[in-house]
């Protein structure tokens, strides 16, 4: 009996430390844009479950390659809850990643999801960087068809097509709404812009270089 409260505390602590999306509490909660709908869960209104149908759980936007004719040479097509309402409350999401030869999915973070990446075609140089506590260590690999790599939640990661052919990969994420922070876009293209002195000092460069970077067109490949 004496140890019971300690055990409960430990269980609570670990459930907080390892929390992902909350448990659904029902079979599903297909998201709808209808404020008159009776149920509201996780920021979305639920469709009346009796009115749900197979189409609510069906997604076809991965059928065709994304358009990689852009400055990065890559396109990410997401199946997050905003594009796929049937995912609401289910704690999972996907993305299709298309790369032109030498195309890049630039350094970015998913604040709410761990990502597994499976390569279907081509050769990708991928990596992530650990947090300051682990000395900002870079882990990289070259992936070919059939290979899988995992990017832990919240860490900066990237994928570069190092082959002369197109590359195709699918990502699986441990949240219905993993979020996306593209590092360069967040830092150099915030609206309004971050004070030049802040960035010049942070990156140890002169203000002119920061001005130059802030004037660039920071493309979002999503
Ligand atoms: C791909 O995007 C480019 C640049 O926006 C555009 O010019 C081109 O028409 C698009 N191609 C297709 C097949 O949609
Ligand atoms: C990080 O660097 C410090 C200082 O060099 C070292 O003592 C520590 O062991 C390193 N930690 C890891 C996880 O590599």
């Amino acid at each position: 009996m004496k140890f019971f409260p300690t055990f409960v505390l430990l269980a609570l602590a670990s459930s907080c430390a390892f929390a992902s999306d909350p448990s659904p509490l029902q079979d599903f909660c297909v998201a709808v844009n209808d404020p008159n709908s009776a149920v509201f869960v996780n920021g979305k209104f639920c469709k009346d479950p009796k009115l749900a149908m197979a189409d609510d759980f069906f997604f076809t936007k991965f059928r065709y390659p994304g358009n990689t004719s852009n400055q990065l040479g890559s396109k990410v097509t997401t199946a997050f809850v905003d594009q796929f309402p049937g995912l609401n409350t289910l704690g999972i999401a996907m993305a299709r990643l298309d790369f032109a030869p030498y195309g890049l999915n630039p350094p970015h973070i998913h604040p709410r999801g761990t990502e597994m990446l499976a390569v279907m075609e081509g050769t990708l140089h991928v990596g992530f960087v650990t947090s300051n506590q682990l000395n900002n260590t870079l882990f990289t690999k070259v992936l070919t068809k059939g290979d899988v790599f995992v990017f832990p939640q919240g860490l900066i990661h990237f994928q570069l097509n190092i082959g002369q052919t197109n590359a195709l990969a699918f990502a699986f994420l441990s949240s219905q709404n993993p979020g996306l922070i593209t590092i360069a876009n967040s830092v150099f293209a915030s609206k309004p812009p971050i004070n030049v002195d802040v960035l010049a000092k942070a990156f140890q460069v002169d203000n002119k270089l920061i001005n130059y970077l802030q004037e660039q067109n920071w493309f979002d490949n999503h």
Side-chain angles (χ1 to χ4, degrees):
M1 256 338 255
K2 204 176 163 191
F3 299 103
F4 184 64
T6 313
F7 166 76
V8 170
L9 277 177
L10 281 174
L12 281 173
S14 66
S15 78
C16 292
F18 298 107
S20 59
D21 287 2
S23 162
L25 304 178
Q26 66 281 312
D27 281 5
F28 48 76
C29 164
V30 178
V32 287
N33 261 336
D34 176 12
N36 297 322
S37 182
V39 196
F40 183 90
V41 180
N42 293 327
K44 301 279 184 193
F45 300 100
C46 294
K47 187 177 204 175
D48 180 341
K50 292 191 212 75
L51 302 178
M53 52 188 147
D55 275 348
D56 290 324
F57 306 98
F58 182 54
F59 188 80
T60 58
K61 291 187 182 131
F62 288 167
R63 283 184 183 181
Y64 308 104
N67 185 347
T68 59
S69 300
N70 58 60
Q71 64 204 65
L72 290 169
S74 73
K75 177 71 185 175
V76 180
T77 307
T78 48
F80 294 3
V81 69
D82 285 347
Q83 296 83 39
F84 190 179
L87 292 184
N88 193 37
T89 75
L90 299 184
I92 197 165
M94 274 187 78
R96 172 184 172 132
L97 294 82
D98 287 281
F99 298 86
Y102 309 112
L104 172 70
N105 190 22
H108 64 280
I109 291 169
H110 302 294
R112 291 174 295 277
T114 289
E115 170 178 343
M116 290 181 78
L117 185 86
V119 175
M120 303 289 117
E121 289 166 22
T123 309
L124 295 180
H125 164 68
V126 307
F128 69 83
V129 180
T130 65
S131 66
N132 299 20
Q133 187 181 25
L134 296 178
N135 293 348
N136 306 122
T137 307
L138 172 67
F139 291 100
T140 64
K141 266 296 186 192
V142 172
L143 310 182
T144 56
K145 185 173 180 172
D147 291 347
V148 171
F149 200 74
V150 61
F151 306 102
Q153 179 168 349
L155 299 185
I156 293 183
H157 61 283
F158 56 83
Q159 298 103 16
L160 174 70
N161 181 6
I162 55 172
Q164 296 171 26
T165 58
N166 290 342
L168 170 65
F170 287 96
F172 307 82
L173 298 114
S174 64
S175 166
Q176 67 177 39
N177 187 27
L180 173 66
I181 300 167
T182 307
I183 306 304
N185 303 39
S186 291
V187 173
F188 298 118
S190 67
K191 291 168 274 297
I194 297 175
N195 185 311
V196 175
D197 293 334
V198 171
L199 296 180
K201 202 156 183 99
F203 287 95
Q204 303 184 55
V205 296
D206 62 22
N207 290 20
K208 271 195 189 134
L209 180 52
I210 298 298
N211 285 326
Y212 171 82
L213 289 167
Q214 288 182 327
E215 283 161 9
Q216 301 312 301
N217 166 35
W218 296 99
F219 182 74
D220 180 358
N221 64 344
H222 285 68

Coordinates of all heavy atoms in Angstrom, one line a residue, residues 65-126:
P65 N 2.0 12.1 -58.9 CA 3.2 12.8 -58.4 C 3.0 14.2 -58.1 O 2.2 14.9 -58.9 CB 4.2 12.6 -59.5 CG 3.7 11.5 -60.4 CD 2.2 11.5 -60.3
G66 N 3.6 14.8 -57.1 CA 3.5 16.2 -56.9 C 4.4 16.9 -57.9 O 5.3 16.3 -58.5
N67 N 4.1 18.2 -58.1 CA 4.8 19.0 -59.1 C 6.1 19.6 -58.5 O 6.0 20.4 -57.6 CB 3.8 20.2 -59.5 CG 4.4 21.0 -60.6 OD1 5.6 20.9 -60.9 ND2 3.6 21.9 -61.2
T68 N 7.2 19.0 -59.0 CA 8.5 19.4 -58.4 C 9.2 20.5 -59.2 O 10.4 20.8 -59.0 CB 9.4 18.2 -58.4 OG1 9.6 17.7 -59.7 CG2 8.9 17.1 -57.5
S69 N 8.4 21.2 -60.2 CA 9.0 22.3 -60.9 C 9.0 23.5 -60.1 O 8.2 24.4 -60.3 CB 8.2 22.5 -62.2 OG 8.2 21.4 -63.0
N70 N 9.9 23.6 -59.1 CA 10.1 24.8 -58.3 C 11.5 24.8 -57.8 O 12.3 24.0 -58.1 CB 9.1 24.7 -57.1 CG 9.4 23.4 -56.2 OD1 10.5 23.2 -55.7 ND2 8.3 22.6 -56.1
Q71 N 11.9 25.9 -57.1 CA 13.3 26.1 -56.8 C 13.9 25.1 -55.9 O 15.2 24.9 -55.9 CB 13.5 27.5 -56.1 CG 12.8 27.6 -54.8 CD 12.4 29.1 -54.5 OE1 11.6 29.7 -55.1 NE2 13.0 29.6 -53.4
L72 N 13.1 24.3 -55.2 CA 13.6 23.3 -54.3 C 13.7 21.9 -55.0 O 14.4 21.0 -54.6 CB 12.8 23.1 -53.1 CG 12.9 24.3 -52.0 CD1 11.8 24.1 -51.0 CD2 14.2 24.3 -51.4
G73 N 12.9 21.8 -56.1 CA 12.8 20.5 -56.8 C 12.2 19.4 -56.0 O 12.5 18.2 -56.1
S74 N 11.2 19.8 -55.1 CA 10.5 18.8 -54.4 C 9.1 19.3 -54.1 O 8.8 20.5 -54.2 CB 11.2 18.6 -53.0 OG 11.0 19.6 -52.2
K75 N 8.2 18.3 -53.8 CA 6.8 18.6 -53.5 C 6.4 17.6 -52.4 O 6.5 16.4 -52.6 CB 6.0 18.6 -54.7 CG 4.5 18.8 -54.4 CD 4.2 20.3 -54.1 CE 2.8 20.5 -53.7 NZ 2.5 21.8 -53.3
V76 N 5.8 18.1 -51.3 CA 5.2 17.2 -50.3 C 3.7 17.4 -50.3 O 3.2 18.5 -50.2 CB 5.8 17.6 -48.9 CG1 5.2 16.7 -47.8 CG2 7.3 17.6 -48.9
T77 N 3.0 16.3 -50.5 CA 1.6 16.2 -50.5 C 1.2 15.6 -49.2 O 1.6 14.5 -48.8 CB 1.0 15.4 -51.7 OG1 1.6 15.9 -52.9 CG2 -0.5 15.5 -51.7
T78 N 0.4 16.4 -48.3 CA 0.1 15.9 -47.0 C -1.3 15.3 -46.9 O -2.2 15.8 -47.5 CB 0.3 17.1 -46.0 OG1 -0.5 18.2 -46.4 CG2 1.7 17.5 -45.7
A79 N -1.3 14.3 -46.1 CA -2.6 13.7 -45.7 C -2.6 13.9 -44.1 O -2.5 12.9 -43.4 CB -2.7 12.2 -46.0
F80 N -2.8 15.2 -43.7 CA -2.9 15.5 -42.3 C -4.4 15.7 -42.1 O -5.2 15.7 -43.1 CB -2.2 16.8 -42.0 CG -0.7 16.7 -42.0 CD1 0.0 15.6 -42.4 CD2 0.1 17.8 -41.7 CE1 1.4 15.5 -42.5 CE2 1.5 17.8 -41.7 CZ 2.2 16.6 -42.1
V81 N -4.9 16.0 -40.9 CA -6.3 16.0 -40.7 C -7.0 17.1 -41.5 O -8.2 17.0 -41.9 CB -6.6 16.2 -39.2 CG1 -6.2 17.6 -38.6 CG2 -8.1 16.0 -38.9
D82 N -6.3 18.2 -41.8 CA -6.9 19.3 -42.6 C -7.2 18.9 -44.0 O -8.2 19.4 -44.6 CB -6.0 20.5 -42.6 CG -6.0 21.3 -41.3 OD1 -6.9 21.0 -40.5 OD2 -5.2 22.2 -41.1
Q83 N -6.4 17.9 -44.6 CA -6.7 17.4 -45.9 C -7.5 16.1 -45.9 O -8.1 15.8 -46.9 CB -5.4 17.1 -46.6 CG -4.5 18.3 -46.9 CD -3.6 18.6 -45.7 OE1 -3.1 17.7 -45.0 NE2 -3.4 19.9 -45.4
F84 N -7.5 15.5 -44.7 CA -8.1 14.1 -44.6 C -8.9 14.1 -43.3 O -8.4 13.6 -42.3 CB -7.0 13.1 -44.6 CG -7.4 11.6 -44.8 CD1 -6.4 10.6 -44.8 CD2 -8.7 11.3 -44.9 CE1 -6.8 9.3 -45.0 CE2 -9.1 9.9 -45.0 CZ -8.1 9.0 -45.1
P85 N -10.2 14.6 -43.3 CA -10.9 14.8 -42.1 C -11.2 13.5 -41.3 O -11.4 13.5 -40.1 CB -12.3 15.4 -42.6 CG -12.0 16.0 -43.9 CD -10.9 15.1 -44.5
G86 N -11.1 12.3 -42.0 CA -11.4 11.1 -41.3 C -10.3 10.7 -40.3 O -10.5 9.9 -39.4
L87 N -9.1 11.4 -40.4 CA -8.0 11.2 -39.4 C -8.3 11.8 -38.1 O -7.6 11.5 -37.1 CB -6.7 11.8 -39.9 CG -6.1 11.2 -41.2 CD1 -4.7 11.9 -41.4 CD2 -5.8 9.7 -41.0
N88 N -9.3 12.6 -38.0 CA -9.5 13.4 -36.7 C -9.6 12.4 -35.5 O -10.4 11.4 -35.6 CB -10.8 14.2 -36.8 CG -10.9 15.2 -35.7 OD1 -9.9 15.8 -35.3 ND2 -12.1 15.4 -35.2
T89 N -8.9 12.7 -34.5 CA -8.7 11.9 -33.2 C -7.9 10.6 -33.4 O -7.7 9.9 -32.4 CB -10.1 11.6 -32.5 OG1 -10.7 10.5 -33.2 CG2 -11.0 12.8 -32.4
L90 N -7.4 10.2 -34.6 CA -6.8 8.9 -34.7 C -5.3 8.9 -34.5 O -4.7 7.9 -34.5 CB -7.2 8.3 -36.1 CG -8.7 8.1 -36.3 CD1 -8.9 7.5 -37.7 CD2 -9.3 7.3 -35.2
G91 N -4.7 10.1 -34.4 CA -3.3 10.1 -34.0 C -2.3 9.7 -35.0 O -1.2 9.2 -34.7
I92 N -2.6 9.9 -36.3 CA -1.7 9.4 -37.3 C -1.9 10.3 -38.6 O -3.0 10.9 -38.8 CB -2.0 7.9 -37.7 CG1 -0.9 7.3 -38.4 CG2 -3.4 7.7 -38.4 CD1 -1.0 5.8 -38.5
A93 N -0.9 10.4 -39.4 CA -1.0 11.1 -40.7 C 0.1 10.6 -41.6 O 0.9 9.8 -41.2 CB -0.8 12.6 -40.4
M94 N 0.0 11.1 -42.9 CA 0.9 10.6 -43.9 C 1.3 11.8 -44.8 O 0.7 12.8 -44.8 CB 0.3 9.5 -44.8 CG 0.4 8.1 -44.3 SD -0.2 7.0 -45.5 CE 1.2 6.9 -46.7
A95 N 2.4 11.6 -45.6 CA 2.7 12.5 -46.6 C 3.4 11.7 -47.8 O 4.0 10.7 -47.6 CB 3.7 13.6 -46.1
R96 N 3.1 12.2 -49.0 CA 3.8 11.7 -50.2 C 4.9 12.7 -50.6 O 4.6 13.9 -50.7 CB 2.8 11.6 -51.3 CG 3.5 11.2 -52.6 CD 2.6 11.1 -53.8 NE 3.5 11.0 -55.0 CZ 3.4 10.1 -56.0 NH1 2.3 9.3 -56.0 NH2 4.2 10.0 -57.0
L97 N 6.1 12.3 -50.7 CA 7.2 13.2 -51.1 C 7.8 12.9 -52.4 O 8.2 11.7 -52.7 CB 8.4 13.1 -50.0 CG 8.1 13.5 -48.6 CD1 7.4 12.4 -47.8 CD2 9.4 13.9 -47.9
D98 N 7.7 13.8 -53.4 CA 8.3 13.7 -54.7 C 9.5 14.6 -54.8 O 9.5 15.7 -54.4 CB 7.2 14.1 -55.7 CG 6.1 13.0 -55.9 OD1 6.4 12.0 -56.5 OD2 5.0 13.2 -55.3
F99 N 10.5 14.0 -55.5 CA 11.8 14.8 -55.6 C 12.2 14.7 -57.1 O 12.2 13.6 -57.7 CB 12.9 14.2 -54.8 CG 12.7 14.2 -53.3 CD1 12.0 13.1 -52.7 CD2 13.2 15.2 -52.5 CE1 11.8 13.1 -51.4 CE2 13.0 15.2 -51.2 CZ 12.3 14.1 -50.6
A100 N 12.5 15.9 -57.7 CA 13.2 15.9 -59.0 C 14.7 15.5 -58.7 O 15.1 15.4 -57.5 CB 13.2 17.3 -59.6
P101 N 15.5 15.2 -59.7 CA 16.9 14.9 -59.5 C 17.5 16.1 -58.7 O 17.3 17.2 -59.0 CB 17.5 14.8 -60.9 CG 16.4 14.3 -61.7 CD 15.2 15.0 -61.2
Y102 N 18.2 15.7 -57.6 CA 18.9 16.7 -56.7 C 17.9 17.6 -56.0 O 18.3 18.7 -55.4 CB 19.9 17.5 -57.5 CG 20.9 16.6 -58.2 CD1 20.9 16.6 -59.6 CD2 21.7 15.8 -57.5 CE1 21.8 15.7 -60.3 CE2 22.6 14.9 -58.2 CZ 22.6 14.9 -59.6 OH 23.4 14.0 -60.2
G103 N 16.6 17.3 -56.0 CA 15.6 18.0 -55.2 C 15.8 17.9 -53.7 O 16.3 16.9 -53.2
L104 N 15.4 18.9 -53.0 CA 15.6 19.0 -51.5 C 14.3 19.3 -50.8 O 13.5 20.2 -51.2 CB 16.6 20.2 -51.2 CG 16.7 20.5 -49.7 CD1 17.5 19.4 -49.0 CD2 17.5 21.8 -49.5
N105 N 14.0 18.5 -49.8 CA 13.0 18.9 -48.8 C 13.8 19.5 -47.6 O 14.5 18.8 -46.9 CB 12.2 17.7 -48.3 CG 11.0 18.0 -47.5 OD1 10.5 19.2 -47.5 ND2 10.6 17.1 -46.7
P106 N 13.8 20.9 -47.5 CA 14.7 21.6 -46.7 C 14.5 21.4 -45.2 O 13.5 20.9 -44.8 CB 14.5 23.1 -47.0 CG 13.1 23.1 -47.5 CD 12.8 21.8 -48.1
P107 N 15.5 21.7 -44.4 CA 15.5 21.5 -42.9 C 14.2 22.0 -42.3 O 13.8 23.2 -42.6 CB 16.7 22.2 -42.4 CG 17.7 22.1 -43.5 CD 16.9 22.3 -44.8
H108 N 13.5 21.1 -41.6 CA 12.2 21.5 -41.0 C 11.9 20.7 -39.8 O 12.7 19.7 -39.5 CB 11.1 21.4 -42.0 CG 10.8 20.0 -42.5 ND1 11.6 19.4 -43.5 CD2 9.9 19.0 -42.1 CE1 11.2 18.1 -43.7 NE2 10.2 17.9 -42.8
I109 N 10.9 21.1 -39.0 CA 10.5 20.4 -37.8 C 9.0 20.1 -37.8 O 8.2 20.9 -38.3 CB 10.7 21.4 -36.6 CG1 12.2 21.6 -36.3 CG2 10.1 20.8 -35.3 CD1 12.5 22.7 -35.4
H110 N 8.6 18.9 -37.3 CA 7.2 18.6 -37.0 C 7.1 18.7 -35.5 O 7.6 17.8 -34.8 CB 6.8 17.3 -37.5 CG 7.0 17.1 -39.0 ND1 6.3 17.9 -39.9 CD2 7.9 16.4 -39.7 CE1 6.7 17.6 -41.1 NE2 7.6 16.7 -41.0
P111 N 6.5 19.8 -34.9 CA 6.5 19.9 -33.5 C 5.7 18.9 -32.7 O 6.0 18.6 -31.5 CB 5.9 21.3 -33.2 CG 5.2 21.7 -34.5 CD 5.9 20.9 -35.6
R112 N 4.8 18.2 -33.4 CA 3.9 17.3 -32.6 C 4.0 15.8 -33.1 O 3.2 15.0 -32.7 CB 2.4 17.8 -32.7 CG 2.2 19.0 -31.9 CD 0.8 19.6 -32.1 NE 0.5 20.0 -33.5 CZ 0.9 21.2 -34.0 NH1 1.5 22.1 -33.2 NH2 0.7 21.5 -35.3
G113 N 4.9 15.5 -34.0 CA 4.9 14.1 -34.5 C 6.3 13.6 -34.8 O 7.1 14.3 -35.4
T114 N 6.5 12.3 -34.5 CA 7.7 11.5 -35.0 C 7.3 11.1 -36.4 O 6.1 10.8 -36.7 CB 7.9 10.3 -34.1 OG1 8.5 10.8 -32.8 CG2 8.9 9.3 -34.7
E115 N 8.3 11.0 -37.2 CA 8.1 10.7 -38.7 C 8.9 9.4 -39.1 O 10.1 9.4 -38.8 CB 8.5 11.9 -39.5 CG 8.5 11.6 -41.0 CD 8.9 12.8 -41.9 OE1 8.8 13.9 -41.4 OE2 9.2 12.6 -43.0
M116 N 8.2 8.5 -39.7 CA 9.0 7.4 -40.4 C 8.9 7.6 -41.8 O 7.8 7.9 -42.4 CB 8.3 6.0 -40.0 CG 8.5 5.6 -38.6 SD 7.8 4.0 -38.3 CE 9.0 2.9 -39.0
L117 N 10.0 7.5 -42.5 CA 10.1 7.7 -44.0 C 10.5 6.4 -44.7 O 11.5 5.8 -44.3 CB 11.1 8.8 -44.3 CG 11.2 9.2 -45.7 CD1 10.2 10.3 -46.0 CD2 12.6 9.7 -46.1
A118 N 9.7 6.0 -45.7 CA 10.0 4.8 -46.5 C 10.2 5.2 -47.9 O 9.4 5.9 -48.5 CB 8.8 3.8 -46.4
V119 N 11.4 4.8 -48.5 CA 11.7 5.2 -49.8 C 11.2 4.2 -50.8 O 11.4 3.0 -50.6 CB 13.2 5.4 -50.0 CG1 13.6 5.6 -51.4 CG2 13.8 6.5 -49.1
M120 N 10.5 4.6 -51.8 CA 9.9 3.8 -52.9 C 10.7 3.7 -54.1 O 10.8 2.7 -54.8 CB 8.5 4.3 -53.3 CG 7.5 4.4 -52.1 SD 7.0 2.8 -51.5 CE 7.6 2.9 -49.9
E121 N 11.3 4.9 -54.5 CA 12.1 5.0 -55.7 C 13.2 6.0 -55.4 O 13.0 7.0 -54.7 CB 11.3 5.6 -56.9 CG 10.3 4.6 -57.4 CD 9.3 5.4 -58.4 OE1 9.6 6.5 -58.9 OE2 8.2 4.9 -58.5
G122 N 14.4 5.8 -56.0 CA 15.5 6.8 -55.9 C 16.4 6.6 -54.7 O 16.3 5.6 -54.0
T123 N 17.3 7.6 -54.5 CA 18.3 7.6 -53.5 C 18.3 8.9 -52.7 O 18.5 10.0 -53.3 CB 19.7 7.4 -54.1 OG1 19.6 6.3 -55.0 CG2 20.7 7.1 -53.1
L124 N 18.0 8.8 -51.4 CA 17.9 10.1 -50.6 C 19.0 10.1 -49.6 O 19.2 9.1 -48.9 CB 16.5 10.1 -49.9 CG 15.3 10.2 -50.8 CD1 14.0 10.3 -49.9 CD2 15.3 11.5 -51.6
H125 N 19.6 11.3 -49.4 CA 20.5 11.6 -48.3 C 19.6 12.3 -47.3 O 19.0 13.3 -47.5 CB 21.6 12.5 -48.8 CG 22.4 13.2 -47.7 ND1 23.2 12.5 -46.8 CD2 22.4 14.5 -47.3 CE1 23.7 13.3 -45.9 NE2 23.2 14.6 -46.2
V126 N 19.4 11.6 -46.1 CA 18.5 12.2 -45.1 C 19.3 12.3 -43.8 O 20.3 11.7 -43.5 CB 17.3 11.2 -44.8 CG1 16.6 10.9 -46.1 CG2 17.7 9.9 -44.1

